[in-house]
């Protein structure tokens, strides 16, 4: 299998050694070179990185990479094997691990993230701006009404596949990206983000995380989940406290 997994990065960082991984400098336009392939060659939207996050890398891969399977990972977050090891980098999935799964399905996703006490819509509204999803709903209703039932179910769900991480067969990726970027480019026209914080201006990356399951469910795409590991230590006390503050403040 010809598999390429782009690893979105914006600074120098350790990368997996397996040849299927391709470090990609997202938002490369106007930035200093860090030794990785930039996302500003060929057909690209590199200049939109402040608002589209790792999606500028996905767009570049969609338009410019020649591979049977294309994946998206992050420099600090990777798909890993079902093995426990003190060496985190030794746990990163290799080609043979991924090939074994792709023999039975066309799509690999990370495990669902569960919010338990609030829905996908409520979590987004507490963390960002509800209007982002409201405008997205309008676009779907106008241009892709067949996706509305799945959108409403996903918004009411307390779990979902997040992180903008996946590995897809080329045909599936083409279908997903045509749909996704058509929606996001239209959303870009309808949203005024001039008063958003720097973090909330990453809106199109955040919205896309909530749209993946909508596409999966509507198209009845079969997938397998693969564990994901964050390569740095996380303070779960602080993360949990911030989560509760957003909900109840």
């Amino acid at each position: 299998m010809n598999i390429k997994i782009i690893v979105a990065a914006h600074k120098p960082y350790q990368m997996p050694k397996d040849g299927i991984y391709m470090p990609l400098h997202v938002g490369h336009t106007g930035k200093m070179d860090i030794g990785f392939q930039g996302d500003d060659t060929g057909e690209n939207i590199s200049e939109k990185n402040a608002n589209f996050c790792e999606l500028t890398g996905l767009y570049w891969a969609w338009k410019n990479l020649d591979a049977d399977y294309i994946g998206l990972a992050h420099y600090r977050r990777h798909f890993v094997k079902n093995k426990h090891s003190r060496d985190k980098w030794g746990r990163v999935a290799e080609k043979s691990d991924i090939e074994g799964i792709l023999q039975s399905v066309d799509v690999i996703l990370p495990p669902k993230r569960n919010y338990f006490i609030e829905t996908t819509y409520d979590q987004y509204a507490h963390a960002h701006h509800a209007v982002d999803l409201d405008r997205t709903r309008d676009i779907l209703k106008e241009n892709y009404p067949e996706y509305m039932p799945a959108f409403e179910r996903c918004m009411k769900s307390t779990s979902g596949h997040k992180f903008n991480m996946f590995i897809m067969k080329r045909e599936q990726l083409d279908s997903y990206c045509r749909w996704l970027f058509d929606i996001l480019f239209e959303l870009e026209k309808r949203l005024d983000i001039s008063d958003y914080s720097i973090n909330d201006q990453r809106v199109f990356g955040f919205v896309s995380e909530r749209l993946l399951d909508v596409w999966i469910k509507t198209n009845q795409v079969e997938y397998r989940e693969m564990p994901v590991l964050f390569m740095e230590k996380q303070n779960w006390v602080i993360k949990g406290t911030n989560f509760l503050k957003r909900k109840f403040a």
Side-chain angles (χ1 to χ4, degrees):
M1 295 181 180
N2 182 6
I3 303 170
K4 283 294 180 184
I5 301 175
I6 61 168
V7 183
H10 60 86
K11 64 180 182 180
Y13 205 83
Q14 182 175 348
M15 290 289 165
K17 296 179 180 180
D18 195 294
I20 62 172
Y21 292 98
M22 179 180 184
L24 186 69
H25 185 172
V26 294
H28 183 261
T29 297
K31 302 294 193 308
M32 291 183 60
D33 186 64
I34 59 174
F36 301 153
Q37 166 70 47
D39 68 349
D40 55 349
T41 61
E43 188 171 349
N44 70 86
I45 56 170
S46 180
E47 75 284 352
K48 295 180 182 289
N49 181 257
N51 308 127
F52 280 72
C53 311
E54 63 276 349
L55 295 185
T56 63
L58 174 62
Y59 188 92
W60 180 89
W62 174 39
K63 293 294 187 179
N64 299 285
L65 265 190
D66 181 17
D68 300 323
Y69 295 85
I70 293 177
L72 173 61
H74 303 260
Y75 70 104
R76 293 186 298 179
R77 189 179 287 123
H78 288 280
F79 289 107
V80 294
K81 313 169 188 179
N82 283 311
K83 294 181 179 179
H84 297 285
S85 169
R86 292 182 179 179
D87 176 17
K88 285 187 174 182
W89 289 97
R91 295 173 60 187
V92 175
E94 298 175 336
K95 184 178 182 181
S96 59
D97 306 307
I98 294 167
E99 282 181 327
I101 297 176
L102 293 176
Q103 287 177 357
S104 58
V105 295
D106 292 338
V107 176
I108 296 174
L109 300 178
K112 285 186 176 182
R113 185 172 185 177
N114 201 319
Y115 294 111
F116 297 106
I117 61 174
E118 61 182 357
T119 66
T120 293
Y121 182 89
D122 290 339
Q123 186 277 331
Y124 189 97
H126 292 142
H128 307 292
H129 297 269
V131 67
D132 305 341
L133 293 180
D134 295 340
R135 293 289 181 272
T136 301
R137 177 186 284 111
D138 293 341
I139 294 168
L140 286 172
K141 189 173 182 179
E142 295 169 20
N143 300 339
Y144 297 97
E146 68 274 22
Y147 284 84
M148 283 301 296
F151 179 81
E152 297 298 354
R153 289 200 305 272
C154 288
M155 291 302 101
K156 294 175 182 177
S157 173
T158 58
S159 64
H161 297 99
K162 301 300 191 293
F163 307 137
N164 274 334
M165 290 181 64
F166 45 77
I167 303 169
M168 293 187 186
K169 193 172 184 178
R170 181 77 208 205
E171 289 84 351
Q172 298 283 23
L173 185 86
D174 287 341
S175 172
Y176 175 60
C177 286
R178 281 196 303 270
W179 175 81
L180 176 68
F181 286 105
D182 185 56
I183 294 167
L184 295 181
F185 291 156
E186 181 60 28
L187 181 62
E188 187 180 27
K189 297 174 185 176
R190 301 190 188 191
L191 275 183
D192 178 6
I193 62 173
S194 58
D195 292 331
Y196 281 19
S197 67
I198 292 177
N199 183 60
D200 284 343
Q201 286 179 8
R202 300 162 62 195
V203 51
F204 306 109
F206 295 146
V207 168
S208 69
E209 287 186 86
R210 280 76 184 174
L211 287 177
L212 176 58
D213 280 338
V214 177
W215 179 79
I216 290 286
K217 291 178 182 295
T218 300
N219 293 285
Q220 299 180 344
V221 176
E222 292 188 17
Y223 64 86
R224 284 269 301 278
E225 293 181 348
M226 195 172 195
V228 167
L229 182 65
F230 196 73
M231 309 310 288
E232 297 177 354
K233 291 183 179 179
Q234 299 188 80
N235 192 319
W236 292 105
V237 173
I238 293 178
K239 290 174 73 72
T241 300
N242 289 339
F243 173 79
L244 293 173
K245 283 181 178 179
R246 289 196 301 267
K247 180 171 178 61
F248 297 111

